[in-house]
Amino acid sequence: MTVNKIWVIVDRQGDKIAPLSLELLTKARSLGGTVEGVTWGDADAIAAEVGSYGATTLHNVGDLAGGLPGPAVAAALAAAIGAGNAPDAILVPHNYDGRDIAARLSVKIDRPVLTNVVGLEEAGDGLVTEHAIFGGTEVLKARFTGEGPGIYVVRTKSFAAEAGDGGPATVSALEVPDLGATGGAKITDRHVEESEGPKLDEAPVVVSGGRGLGEADKYSMIEDLAKLLKGAAGASRAIVDAGWVPYSHQVGQTGKTVKPTVYIAAGISGATQHMVGMKNSKNIVAINKDQEAPIFSIADLGIVGDVHKVLPKLIEALKARS
């Protein structure tokens, strides 16, 4: 299946394009052929940025009128594909709305979905995907056979987002067919978690704490250190499950994937589930009193010591410099 045209779902966080969608546009541009975006809401406001990342056209589903993106976007895509305007591949962000769109579209056009994609390359006659399996210890390769389009759900931080020199994308209306009862669900309220500093999956520095902290109150050391380093505070699944910190802090296979310049793991033994979410960080610093802890196997700098002694000293030193 030759790839000549790729559609990318362009999701947004508030008024800005979601970083993962920019990553997907960048990757699509590198694969060659025509790149087009699919979005909803005010498309004119993002047409220039979408174009700079490689898309020549931005298909707009329009105002969702308080509805969820999934039903409208999937129905519009299915209708366009049925009318003969099918791309060869559709790249979808691995988030709540993206997975909903992919699932609904899969049913409507009777095509399978490749999920949890962490690598994507052109192989001459189609795209070959990579998927981390067994907790990230092995990488599986897969590809679609038969007619397109292929639907690919891609995990965050799988590719770097880099703007090119393209001009603004041409905005084109994408008609949404009658959704019937499917379009009846409406968003009545939104809750945005209050936070300070950079977002966990965008921060240049991430400081994460694990069970080695001993108790929930000690997590304040992680937050203090992250703030001093102008970074974000993360956590292992163990302390999230224990209720010490919200799920939004979790780094790992079932949490967020991060790729900061510096990742500090404090009191984290290094379960495979956690390491798959941070092992591609540029510099990894591990602090653990167990010198046999698996986290040291991927650390660039390992400190064998008690986090209750190491972290306060580090915090004190940073405060003295500020």
Side-chain angles (χ1 to χ4, degrees), residues 69-248:
V73 176
L77 289 174
I81 291 168
N85 189 27
D88 300 300
I90 302 174
L91 305 188
V92 184
H94 186 277
N95 54 27
Y96 296 115
D97 288 331
R99 291 194 295 267
D100 190 31
I101 292 169
R104 293 175 184 274
L105 179 60
S106 172
V107 172
K108 287 182 176 296
I109 67 174
D110 193 26
R111 289 288 295 162
V113 181
L114 282 171
T115 61
N116 290 306
V117 175
V118 297
L120 191 63
E121 295 296 337
E122 167 64 48
D125 58 349
L127 298 178
V128 174
T129 58
E130 292 185 347
H131 310 258
I133 60 174
F134 300 135
T137 59
E138 299 289 341
V139 175
L140 171 75
K141 292 189 176 183
R143 68 188 307 158
F144 283 113
T145 58
E147 297 297 321
I151 306 171
Y152 306 84
V153 181
V154 185
R155 290 189 67 92
T156 185
K157 301 299 181 183
S158 296
F159 314 114
E162 297 177 359
D165 55 4
T170 301
V171 177
S172 173
L174 192 61
E175 185 177 350
V176 180
D178 181 24
L179 299 177
T182 305
K186 301 294 180 182
I187 301 172
T188 59
D189 196 10
R190 292 181 182 272
H191 171 73
V192 179
E193 185 177 7
E194 293 184 6
S195 61
E196 295 181 3
K199 294 183 179 180
L200 180 58
D201 51 1
E202 299 174 17
V205 176
V206 173
V207 183
S208 286
R211 193 156 31 199
L213 293 172
E215 56 186 83
D217 290 347
K218 299 299 183 182
Y219 188 76
S220 62
M221 293 190 297
I222 301 297
E223 295 174 318
D224 291 344
L225 181 56
K227 187 174 182 179
L228 286 166
L229 294 171
K230 296 180 173 55
S236 68
R237 178 175 177 174
I239 66 172
V240 170
D241 288 348
W244 295 6
V245 293
Y247 170 72
S248 58

Side-chain angles (χ1 to χ4, degrees), residues 43-95:
D44 292 326
I46 61 172
E49 186 173 13
V50 169
S52 72
Y53 278 82
T56 56
T57 303
L58 182 59
H59 301 286
N60 186 21
V61 171
D63 185 2
L64 299 178
L68 296 166
V73 176
L77 289 174
I81 291 168
N85 189 27
D88 300 300
I90 302 174
L91 305 188
V92 184
H94 186 277
N95 54 27

